[in-house]
């Protein structure tokens, strides 16, 4: 079983846990190239800007972390499996209870329409996963997260492994050594997420 101190220590050294979709065994990931979102260069898309301006979604932090992580763990339409196992859910729930893991949630009325969760340590936020049931809800949650991190003075938004969706959101890839340099600087800051 994963331990809280073990997971926190891993993040400080550039690792993060994932579960094998076939047997749910947890392994440690440290990509050679890391996806990060440069906070100062982030540009909100026209669609998201319009949705935020119109108040289409009510956005909250940490209102229902459990539902967010379970929604992220549900297999996507294009994928029949997930890397978020019960063990991953359990440790991140514990991290949430200890004030390290956080969720950003978009609601439309009483319906949870999308969101994301991640881990905050020092001046670094490690984005873990996002989901949506209503189009663009996760993009709005991400937009609100970026603005929140920038306002609070965060230095690093780690998006872990590049994919087309992250690239659309403004992520870039950096070599491992550069990632560790940015991580070290970010960890020197003392910031409360909320």
């Amino acid at each position: 079983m994963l331990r809280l101190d073990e997971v926190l220590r891993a993040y400080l050294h550039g690792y993060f846990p994932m579960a094998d979709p076939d047997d749910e065994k947890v392994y440690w990931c440290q990509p050679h190239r890391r996806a990060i979102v440069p906070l100062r260069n982030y540009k909100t898309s026209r669609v998201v800007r319009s949705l935020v301006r119109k108040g289409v979604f009510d956005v909250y932090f940490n209102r229902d972390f459990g539902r967010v992580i379970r929604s992220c763990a549900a297999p996507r339409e294009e994928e029949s499996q997930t890397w978020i196992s019960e063990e991953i859910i359990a440790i991140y729930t514990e991290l949430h209870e200890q004030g390290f893991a956080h969720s950003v949630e978009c609601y439309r009325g009483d319906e949870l329409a999308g969101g994301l969760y991640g881990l905050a340590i020092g001046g670094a936020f490690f984005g873990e996963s996002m989901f949506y049931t209503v189009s663009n809800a996760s993009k709005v949650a991400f937009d609100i997260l970026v603005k929140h991190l920038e306002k609070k003075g965060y230095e690093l938004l780690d998006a872990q492994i590049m994919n087309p969706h992250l690239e659309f959101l403004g992520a870039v890839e950096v070599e491992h050594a550069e990632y560790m340099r940015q991580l070290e600087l970010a960890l020197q800051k003392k910031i409360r997420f909320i």
Side-chain angles (χ1 to χ4, degrees):
M1 287 294 289
L2 289 168
R3 295 189 328 270
L4 188 136
D5 62 325
E6 171 186 41
V7 173
L8 291 173
R9 190 167 46 251
Y11 276 94
L12 300 181
H13 292 93
Y15 291 88
F16 56 89
M18 293 182 82
D20 186 301
D22 294 321
D23 61 11
E24 294 197 355
K25 184 176 180 180
V26 174
Y27 61 95
W28 295 101
C29 237
Q30 189 187 59
H32 295 296
R33 293 180 59 76
R34 196 71 162 241
I36 64 168
V37 178
L39 293 170
R40 285 159 194 82
N41 297 335
Y42 171 75
K43 301 273 191 292
T44 307
S45 74
R46 188 177 305 136
V47 170
V48 170
R49 228 178 4 254
S50 173
L51 291 169
V52 170
R53 189 176 60 252
K54 292 175 183 173
V56 172
F57 299 105
D58 294 318
V59 183
Y60 299 94
F61 293 99
N62 297 331
R63 188 179 193 189
D64 197 341
F65 183 87
R67 274 185 65 202
V68 170
I69 193 168
R70 289 218 168 262
S71 297
C72 288
R76 313 284 201 260
E77 285 179 20
E78 65 277 4
E79 302 165 358
S80 60
Q81 298 176 311
T82 180
W83 62 267
I84 304 173
S85 65
E86 287 299 321
E87 187 175 1
I88 296 275
I89 291 171
I91 193 65
Y92 282 89
T93 300
E94 186 179 348
L95 285 160
H96 172 66
E97 290 164 357
Q98 295 299 317
F100 292 103
H102 303 278
S103 58
V104 184
E105 302 137 35
C106 285
Y107 288 82
R108 196 155 70 181
D110 293 332
E111 178 191 359
L112 179 59
L116 58 86
Y117 78 96
L119 199 64
I121 307 173
F125 189 89
F126 307 88
E128 288 298 318
S129 188
M130 55 176 56
F131 83 98
Y132 68 91
T133 57
V134 176
S135 187
N136 293 310
S138 63
K139 291 177 187 170
V140 170
F142 184 80
D143 183 70
I144 298 299
L145 170 69
V146 171
K147 290 172 180 167
H148 178 75
L149 296 177
E150 209 172 359
K151 182 178 175 186
K152 293 289 248 174
Y154 277 77
E155 291 290 328
L156 177 65
L157 173 49
D158 178 6
Q160 299 179 341
I161 300 170
M162 184 64 87
N163 63 42
H165 183 64
L166 289 172
E167 193 170 10
F168 172 81
L169 293 173
V172 298
E173 279 188 316
V174 295
E175 297 292 338
H176 176 70
E178 173 59 18
Y179 171 76
M180 292 305 295
R181 186 191 71 75
Q182 290 189 35
L183 176 60
E184 185 179 344
L185 290 172
L187 292 174
Q188 292 172 15
K189 293 195 127 184
K190 292 185 178 5
I191 303 172
R192 288 178 59 89
F193 183 79
I194 298 292

